[in-house]
Structure formats: C-alpha cells, structure tokens
Amino acid sequence: LAKTTQPISMDSYEGQEVNITCSHNNIATNDYITWYQQFPSQGPRFIIQGYKTKVTNEVASLFIPADRKSSTLSLPRVSLSDTAVYYCLVGDFLPGGYQKVTFGTGTKLQVIP
Amino acid sequence: ETGVTQSPTHLIKTRGQQVTLRCSSQSGHNTVSWYQQALGQGPQFIFQYYREEENGRGNFPPRFSGLQFPNYSSELNVNALELDDSALYLCASSSLGEKLFFGSGTQLSVL
C-alpha cells in the first residue's frame, strides 16, 4: 500500500484559503486519492476523491499533478468550523477491490479567528 | 449524519475480558469495515466484510474477529482484551468500491 506523508499541523486565519499537500511517492496505477475530515470523537467524513488532474466539489478542490506522487487539498475561505484533522488516503477503490485503506497521522488544521 | 450507527458509544472493560461492538450499515451498503483509532493516531484498518465474508484484513491478531449479517449489519469481537486495545473503534459502510461512510465510533477503555 502506498504510504502517505502530510504536515502534522497547520494554522490559518478565518477567511483564508488553506492548501494541505500530501506526498504518496509509491502510488499504484489503480490507486485513487481520497481526503477525509475528522472532528474529535467522531468518525472521518469524506471530503473529496480524485485520480488525476483537478477535482472540485462544493467544499473543496483536489489538485493532482501528472506524476500523481503528491496531491493538494484546497479549502477556500476556511471558517472556525473547519478546525479538524484532515487525512490523505491512497487506495484501490475500483469496484471489486477491497478498501484496505491506510490512514496516516493526518494534518491538524487550526483555524484562528 | 452518515446513517451508520454504532453501539455502545462508550464501554469499559478489564484486561482479559471479551467485548462485542455493533454496527448498523447505511441503507443500500453491502460492505462493512472496522478501524481502530488510538489517541492521536489515524484509524488503522482491522478488516472488511463483503456479503458476510471477510475479504480483507489488516495487521491485527486473530483475537480480533467479526461477523456480517444478512442485513449487512456487523459485529466486531475482541477476545482476551489487553490494555493497548483501548481506542476508538470505527465502523464504515460502503458499496464495494465506493467511498466509506463512518459511524461515530465506540470508545473502548480497558483497565
């Protein structure tokens, strides 16, 4: 399984854009990149998933370069409620594959008023 | 709300005892996976069940076992509890190959 490396923590002021980068040098051809958000005492919540280039949804964007060895989660205009731990996952999510995913230690984002 | 419910929310056991944790999947999901999350760490994959069969397992000893029922709900059983088993246990349901929906977890304390 591809190992992921993220910064341990980040601080940001409210209203700013936050970019969290994840390294996954050993990503396999069938692997997708997925980001989850976790608040204390809750289970992780799906944010966004992608395979290559750029993916955008209502809460975030995911940028993946051509070599796929890294990815960047972009959160526009963060608010205090975005304070959480963010996990980058790399795994085979193709139909028929089992989702033995490996969470790293995540990035603890602290949004400051 | 993900539609994945876990019970109980908190549990205290003593070393050597056995514990059963329960998970109800989101409607329409046929796959359940279990994770252990120690304090300050990311969730670690224990195993996954698809159509009542275990089809993937992480690096956990055999005293961690599970079941999936015809209605796709699931149980995690841990025998001979050790102090290091104290953690948040998370259940996630999905359709095979699709994104995971997590419950809020069961906080297990082993004394």
Side-chain angles (χ1 to χ4, degrees):
Chain A
L1 292 174
K3 182 180 177 180
T4 60
T5 304
Q6 307 173 231
I8 294 174
S9 64
M10 295 179 68
D11 292 338
S12 177
Y13 288 102
E14 269 192 297
Q16 289 190 327
E17 178 185 75
V18 170
N19 296 307
I20 306 174
T21 297
C22 179
S23 297
H24 27 80
N25 291 320
N26 297 322
I27 189 169
T29 302
N30 289 341
D31 286 345
Y32 280 67
I33 300 155
T34 310
W35 286 79
Y36 282 82
Q37 174 194 56
Q38 187 178 27
F39 299 110
S41 300
Q42 293 187 27
R45 183 176 72 104
F46 174 89
I47 301 175
I48 198 166
Q49 180 177 293
Y51 184 80
K52 62 180 179 180
T53 62
K54 177 184 175 182
V55 179
T56 298
N57 62 21
E58 63 276 9
V59 297
S61 294
L62 179 59
F63 299 92
I64 306 168
D67 65 6
R68 304 201 326 124
K69 293 183 182 299
S70 67
S71 59
T72 299
L73 173 71
S74 181
L75 304 172
R77 298 178 300 281
V78 294
S79 64
L80 295 177
S81 62
D82 293 317
T83 294
V85 178
Y86 292 82
Y87 293 99
C88 163
L89 279 67
V90 174
D92 178 359
F93 286 90
L94 292 178
Y98 71 83
Q99 294 124 14
K100 179 183 176 182
V101 297
T102 301
F103 286 77
T105 52
T107 298
K108 187 172 185 178
L109 173 65
Q110 180 69 52
V111 179
I112 305 165
Chain B
E1 285 294 324
T2 64
V4 179
T5 59
Q6 294 186 241
S7 63
T9 55
H10 295 82
L11 198 55
I12 299 174
K13 291 285 189 178
T14 57
R15 193 171 49 182
Q17 285 189 311
Q18 179 266 344
V19 68
T20 297
L21 310 181
R22 295 178 174 84
C23 173
S24 294
S25 304
Q26 182 169 317
S27 178
H29 287 176
N30 55 19
T31 304
V32 173
S33 51
W34 286 89
Y35 294 78
Q36 180 195 66
Q37 186 173 25
L39 190 64
Q41 302 296 316
Q44 299 300 306
F45 176 79
I46 302 175
F47 44 55
Q48 176 178 286
Y49 279 81
Y50 171 61
R51 293 185 176 178
E52 302 177 57
E53 296 286 334
E54 183 183 301
N55 73 336
R57 189 177 184 93
N59 189 27
F60 280 81
R63 59 189 185 85
F64 286 79
S65 63
L67 285 172
Q68 186 182 30
F69 301 100
N71 65 356
Y72 302 130
S73 65
S74 178
E75 287 182 355
L76 165 66
N77 299 293
V78 186
N79 294 322
L81 283 167
E82 301 176 359
L83 297 179
D84 285 349
D85 295 333
S86 294
L88 180 68
Y89 288 85
L90 296 162
C91 165
S93 78
S94 65
S95 296
L96 193 64
E98 300 295 325
K99 64 187 180 186
L100 302 174
F101 291 84
F102 284 85
S104 295
T106 295
Q107 185 65 55
L108 173 64
S109 298
V110 182
L111 307 179

